[in-house]
Amino acid sequence: MSSPSSGEIVGESVPILRLKERINRIGRAQGSVLIRGETGTGKELIAQAIHRLSPRREKLMVRVNCAALPSALV
């Protein structure tokens, strides 16, 4: 079960299939998305997949490393 959104996301396990379904659902919604997780878990792949499905796909996707933000700014 692959879709244009999840081309780089490989795997057929139940959790990966659920993730692909969520990407397809979230990608079509309006709004911002916060993706959290450990380093090296593929958060950017998820973000890119969601962006490719979104109504804003032709616009710039802004990536923010929240860990790099000073606490005073937040």
Side-chain angles (χ1 to χ4, degrees), residues 64 68-74:
V64 176
L69 295 174
S71 58
L73 183 62
V74 176

Side-chain angles (χ1 to χ4, degrees), residues 34-37 39 43 63-74:
L34 173 64
I35 302 170
R36 302 180 323 160
T39 300
K43 295 180 295 294
R63 297 169 184 101
V64 176
N65 179 354
C66 296
L69 295 174
S71 58
L73 183 62
V74 176

Side-chain angles (χ1 to χ4, degrees), residues 6-41:
S6 57
E8 296 88 18
I9 302 169
V10 295
E12 296 297 323
S13 67
V14 172
I16 294 294
L17 293 176
R18 277 193 216 130
L19 175 63
K20 290 178 180 181
E21 288 172 9
R22 286 181 182 167
I23 289 169
N24 289 324
R25 187 178 66 239
I26 293 167
R28 290 179 176 83
Q30 290 288 337
S32 299
V33 177
L34 173 64
I35 302 170
R36 302 180 323 160
E38 301 289 325
T39 300
T41 56

Side-chain angles (χ1 to χ4, degrees), residues 53-72:
L53 282 174
S54 78
R56 297 181 247 176
R57 68 183 144 272
E58 300 299 324
K59 297 180 181 176
L60 180 66
M61 180 175 88
V62 178
R63 297 169 184 101
V64 176
N65 179 354
C66 296
L69 295 174
S71 58

